[in-house]
Amino acid sequence: MSQTKKISSALISVFHKDGLEPLVRKLDELGVVIYSTGGTEKFINALGIPVIPVENLTEYPSILGGRVKTLHPKVFGGILNRQENESDVAEMKSYNIPQIDLVVVDLYPFEKTVSSGASEQDIIEKIDIGGISLIRAAAKNFKDTLCISSMEDYDEVLALISEKDGGTSLDDRRRFAAKSFNISSHYDSAIFNYFNAEEQIPALKLSELQGKKLRYGENPHQEGFYYGDFAGMFDKLHGKELSYNNLLDVDAAVNLMNEFREDPPTFAILKHNNACGIAQRNSVKQAYVDALEGDPVSAFGGILICNTEIDAATSEEIHKLFCEVVIAPSFTSEALEILKGKKNRILLVQKSWALPKSTVRSCLNGALVQDRDTQTDSEEKITHATHNIPTKMELEDLLFASKICKHTKSNTIVLAKGKQLCASGTGQTSRVDALRQAIDKANSFDFDLNGAVMASDAFFPFPDCVEIAHKAGITAVIQPGGSIKDELSVEYCNENNVSMVFTGVRHFKH
């Protein structure tokens, strides 16, 4: 039997009718016998195209409020029979079962119903049974049956059968079978995750319907992919394709700026997932200028992000710097014209988008999953550990530094002054090393640390860090607290007029 098959009959049962008409008209033009159900049958009838109700085929009505329509041997026999198998062909003839060469299904919108906040009864009713069964059957029997499981594929199928006069090759059918199992497995994962939000079965189901191959992974010798709806979160206005490393930096930038989304103009510059500059000012231009001042060397080739619209004046300053990506809620037309002056510079408009509630990363032969760290240190949550209380400005700087610290690789120390990052020690094996790195870096860029504040992502087991910081000019410290030796650091601060506050929350980031 030839691997190329011509479609002679089709079963169409879809929830959404958008884009279906051209495909149905083409099938009719090709002389294809069409079977259908419920609303889809009425839709096709309204087009003036002959259609046979499934009930006529099964000789059984739609029952249980439409829950059972296509679940019948005459439907699934027509889909699952093996046309090269003599026994199957004989049984088809014996039971008067027609061959079905094409199945077109669009499933009930389960995920949209869940996200709409609908009642559980409505959600359960949107668990498709017949449709998912049709997809699995048709995709399994791809040798003989073409399965279309998404309205997004209608145009491709229309072009295919128009070009091949209603025919499909085995490769065509196998490709659409793979697409169909992608749809069905994603659908089942969504249903499981809905139920498991309450049941907490220790199992992980991740599914993304969209993805793209990247130029390469973290390094050129590694293959890389991105899976997710990037266009749902950003409008890409200009520039080259984002790389694997770009995407990691964009993720870090978005998470950091999420801490400042309701604040005055705040600008951050990131490199290798860490902020090398960040400042908050009355104007976005000044916020950028002062963020760049934090580390103009590391800023080269960095990722820029701000929490407000970028104007022309700011763009003129940014344009002087080689940077990979610029992210903002919006750009003025003048700003875009300036920033597009570098053809490869990536410009992204960040849309309003809720970040996932959990984070996932590969680990050993499995995965680690945890709640996203959504706790932001605030004045209401801190406790004063020392006799000396921070001034209003110091407290603002402490909370500013704490937000940065939360999004910097551990072990980390962040030094800030006047809502500007002076320096940070990142990813060090000891907190002392992180502090010394931060002090050395701040001094190398001529920051005056007298009156600056220090944030730590975890507690101080010994007083060495507060002593080193005090001698460098630090006057206030924010840290989680919780060490059995907290009192040693507190005593040093009390004796040397340094204020210290505890947050009670550790922010490790590995």
Side-chain angles (χ1 to χ4, degrees):
M1 181 176 288
S2 170
Q3 290 186 332
T4 298
K5 285 195 59 187
K6 190 165 184 176
I7 299 169
S8 60
S9 61
L11 171 61
I12 306 175
S13 180
V14 299
F15 184 86
H16 296 102
K17 315 302 186 291
D18 303 352
L20 182 62
E21 180 179 349
L23 179 60
V24 172
R25 290 197 181 280
K26 186 63 183 180
L27 292 172
D28 180 55
E29 178 188 318
L30 291 167
V32 174
V33 175
I34 299 175
Y35 301 93
S36 192
T37 63
T40 311
E41 178 204 335
K42 292 177 182 177
F43 173 82
I44 297 172
N45 257 321
L47 297 176
I49 294 173
V51 56
I52 301 172
V54 165
E55 291 86 346
N56 290 8
L57 170 62
T58 63
E59 298 178 338
Y60 214 92
S62 172
I63 62 174
L64 306 182
R67 281 189 165 197
V68 179
K69 296 190 288 282
T70 58
L71 296 170
H72 193 280
K74 281 201 170 182
V75 174
F76 281 84
I79 295 169
L80 282 167
N81 74 93
R82 297 156 292 185
Q83 293 179 33
E84 78 283 2
N85 185 297
E86 292 183 2
S87 175
D88 284 9
V89 172
E91 285 187 273
M92 292 275 287
K93 185 176 181 179
S94 173
Y95 292 108
N96 195 28
I97 299 174
Q99 174 68 35
I100 298 176
D101 305 307
L102 168 66
V103 172
V104 182
V105 176
D106 174 54
L107 298 171
Y108 292 165
F110 177 81
E111 288 179 281
K112 286 184 179 179
T113 306
V114 172
S115 62
S116 73
S119 68
E120 176 149 292
Q121 181 179 351
D122 289 339
I123 290 170
I124 297 305
E125 286 305 314
K126 287 299 185 290
I127 297 177
D128 206 314
I129 303 300
I132 205 79
S133 301
L134 290 170
I135 287 174
R136 291 178 64 83
K140 174 180 179 176
N141 200 33
F142 67 89
K143 279 190 175 182
D144 296 307
T145 310
L146 175 65
C147 184
I148 309 305
S149 56
S150 170
M151 56 194 298
E152 294 179 3
D153 290 330
Y154 292 169
D155 288 344
E156 183 180 352
V157 176
L158 178 59
L160 180 69
I161 62 176
S162 297
E163 178 187 344
K164 297 185 177 182
D165 193 28
T168 62
S169 69
L170 182 61
D171 287 344
D172 294 329
R173 298 191 295 277
R174 185 184 181 89
R175 177 163 52 87
F176 279 101
K179 287 187 172 192
S180 297
F181 284 121
N182 180 32
I183 293 290
S184 65
S185 64
H186 177 82
Y187 197 79
D188 285 339
S189 293
I191 295 169
F192 169 77
N193 288 332
Y194 168 75
F195 280 97
N196 207 40
E198 186 173 322
E199 301 303 329
Q200 294 293 296
I201 296 168
L204 178 64
K205 298 286 188 295
L206 299 177
S207 180
E208 289 289 348
L209 287 174
Q210 300 184 53
K212 65 177 297 183
K213 192 175 190 302
L214 304 173
R215 295 197 305 273
Y216 50 80
E218 200 161 8
N219 299 292
H221 63 277
Q222 295 170 273
E223 196 171 34
F225 298 84
Y226 173 76
Y227 298 103
D229 183 14
F230 187 82
M233 193 166 183
F234 299 98
D235 284 328
K236 183 171 177 283
L237 305 181
H238 182 72
K240 63 182 181 181
E241 289 297 310
L242 282 99
S243 69
Y244 182 99
N245 293 328
N246 286 157
L247 289 164
L248 285 176
D249 282 331
V250 168
D251 178 69
V254 166
N255 279 280
L256 171 62
M257 196 52 65
N258 194 48
E259 302 285 345
F260 301 95
R261 61 189 180 279
E262 304 297 335
D263 289 6
T266 306
F267 215 110
I269 304 172
L270 289 88
K271 195 75 171 288
H272 295 293
N273 308 157
N274 295 305
C276 57
I278 180 169
Q280 189 173 102
R281 295 293 183 260
N282 291 327
S283 73
V284 65
K285 175 185 175 181
Q286 197 58 49
Y288 167 73
V289 170
D290 290 351
L292 181 63
E293 188 179 47
D295 186 348
V297 175
S298 296
F300 181 85
I303 307 293
L304 280 56
I305 187 169
C306 73
N307 64 351
T308 190
E309 183 173 71
I310 292 181
D311 56 22
T314 309
S315 292
E316 287 173 352
E317 293 298 322
I318 293 172
H319 195 57
K320 300 173 185 176
L321 174 73
F322 169 71
C323 57
E324 293 271 348
V325 184
V326 184
I327 310 166
S330 59
F331 299 81
T332 66
S333 57
E334 296 85 356
L336 278 178
E337 186 177 351
I338 294 166
L339 293 174
K340 286 181 177 179
K342 298 287 179 66
K343 68 176 182 178
N344 287 330
R345 180 185 286 144
I346 299 165
L347 305 179
L348 300 176
V349 170
Q350 185 179 349
K351 303 176 185 178
S352 177
W353 187 272
L355 294 169
K357 295 179 180 179
S358 301
T359 63
V360 183
R361 64 193 297 181
S362 62
C363 180
L364 302 175
N365 62 345
L368 286 171
V369 182
Q370 66 172 348
D371 295 338
R372 182 176 294 278
D373 185 357
T374 57
Q375 294 206 37
T376 298
D377 300 328
S378 64
E379 185 174 355
E380 296 76 27
K381 297 176 183 177
I382 63 171
T383 57
H384 297 280
T386 53
H387 303 316
N388 195 36
I389 303 299
T391 66
K392 182 177 182 297
M393 177 56 79
E394 284 176 333
L395 185 56
E396 289 178 356
D397 280 347
L398 287 170
L399 296 174
F400 176 82
S402 177
K403 290 178 179 180
I404 303 168
C405 193
K406 173 183 170 183
H407 295 278
T408 306
K409 295 289 185 182
S410 299
N411 287 309
T412 183
I413 293 289
V414 169
L415 306 179
K417 183 178 179 180
K419 294 188 178 177
Q420 178 185 28
L421 174 64
C422 300
S424 59
T426 63
Q428 298 302 300
T429 52
S430 83
R431 206 155 302 283
V432 172
D433 286 346
L435 174 57
R436 285 177 172 152
Q437 181 190 54
I439 292 171
D440 289 347
K441 188 172 182 180
N443 289 335
S444 73
F445 290 113
D446 297 324
F447 278 100
D448 179 7
L449 293 180
N450 288 300
V453 306
M454 173 173 73
S456 174
D457 59 340
F459 62 62
F460 298 115
F462 304 103
D464 45 6
C465 280
V466 290
E467 181 178 352
I468 294 168
H470 167 246
K471 290 178 179 177
I474 304 300
T475 57
V477 178
I478 187 169
Q479 59 132 324
S483 169
I484 58 173
K485 297 182 178 180
D486 273 345
E487 195 57 35
L488 297 177
S489 295
V490 172
E491 286 176 3
Y492 181 90
C493 289
N494 281 332
E495 291 169 1
N496 292 277
N497 204 33
V498 175
S499 61
M500 178 182 286
V501 299
F502 289 167
T503 65
V505 180
R506 189 181 74 184
H507 293 296
F508 269 165
K509 187 171 188 287
H510 292 105

